[in-house]
Amino acid sequence: VDHSHHTGTSHMADNSTTAPPHHHHHPTTSAHHSHGGGMDGMMMSMTFYFGFKNVELLFSGLVINTAGEMAGAFVAVFLLAMFYEGLKIARESLLRKSQVSIRYNSMPVPGPNGTILMETHKTVGQQMLSFPHLLQTVLHIIQVVISYFLMLIFMTYNGYLCIAVAAGAGTGYFLFSWKKAVVVDITEHCH
């Protein structure tokens, strides 16, 4: 755009008296390529709202327009968040079961009054080129993709979908994490 007409005069004067208004065409802002704002090119809401009209869910072709569609989306998002929590716990369990190479190393250490004590260390590892590690890698990729999907769903700011993410994650944690062994040292006061 040539801005040479701005030299020596006020920009406001140029726009109001002599220069025609500038029109910049941006093909990425057309109605066919909107960024989360619905099919008519509106901007995406940046505040929480409760509604079910013209709510895009992850993909441009997946648009919620009725209360029934929102109810279905709520159930699907709830189950996805539950699955995410279950997947995290399942990966931890698989990791514990797949740790195969256990070595015990004993080494002499000086004890009291010049005695020698034997200290034993347990080393647990996993081989990189193994089926358990390959499975963990694939499950990790799935977990990352689901976590980003849940984040993007929450970022729609739709109250119903945000509640579905939070309630699904909470329910999944409640159902799957109770088996998780947690050792608590009751003498520890600084957490």
Side-chain angles (χ1 to χ4, degrees):
V1 174
D2 180 22
H3 291 283
S4 62
H5 65 276
H6 292 290
T7 56
T9 60
S10 164
H11 182 309
M12 182 70 103
D14 282 344
N15 276 343
S16 62
T17 58
T18 60
H22 296 285
H23 294 288
H24 298 283
H25 178 67
H26 297 286
T28 58
T29 58
S30 70
H32 299 292
H33 188 78
S34 64
H35 294 283
M39 302 306 279
D40 53 343
M42 298 182 322
M43 291 296 294
M44 182 176 90
S45 175
M46 296 303 285
T47 57
F48 289 99
Y49 68 98
F50 287 88
F52 54 84
K53 295 285 186 193
N54 207 25
V55 179
E56 286 188 79
L57 186 60
L58 296 177
F59 304 100
S60 60
L62 191 56
V63 181
I64 299 167
N65 282 310
T66 66
E69 290 173 351
M70 180 57 78
F74 184 95
V75 170
V77 170
F78 181 90
L79 292 174
L80 184 65
M82 268 184 56
F83 177 74
Y84 174 76
E85 291 297 324
L87 181 60
K88 288 193 314 186
I89 300 304
R91 284 191 59 220
E92 288 178 20
S93 176
L94 282 172
L95 184 62
R96 282 192 298 275
K97 290 177 183 176
S98 69
Q99 293 173 332
V100 289
S101 58
I102 299 174
R103 292 190 315 256
Y104 294 94
N105 299 325
S106 296
M107 56 189 297
V109 292
N113 301 328
T115 61
I116 302 288
L117 300 174
M118 293 303 284
E119 190 174 88
T120 303
H121 296 276
K122 178 181 174 184
T123 306
V124 179
Q126 183 172 320
Q127 295 177 345
M128 185 172 80
L129 296 176
S130 65
F131 178 74
H133 185 63
L134 178 64
L135 180 61
Q136 280 287 342
T137 302
V138 171
L139 292 177
H140 176 74
I141 292 168
I142 293 169
Q143 181 180 337
V144 167
V145 169
I146 292 172
S147 71
Y148 279 118
F149 278 178
L150 292 172
M151 177 197 67
L152 290 171
I153 291 168
F154 205 93
M155 287 177 60
T156 64
Y157 291 99
N158 183 283
Y160 300 120
L161 297 177
C162 292
I163 290 169
V165 170
T171 303
Y173 182 85
F174 180 79
L175 292 176
F176 301 120
S177 292
W178 70 273
K179 291 182 179 181
K180 207 165 138 176
V182 178
V183 178
V184 178
D185 183 359
I186 60 172
T187 63
E188 179 64 45
H189 298 292
C190 298
H191 295 286

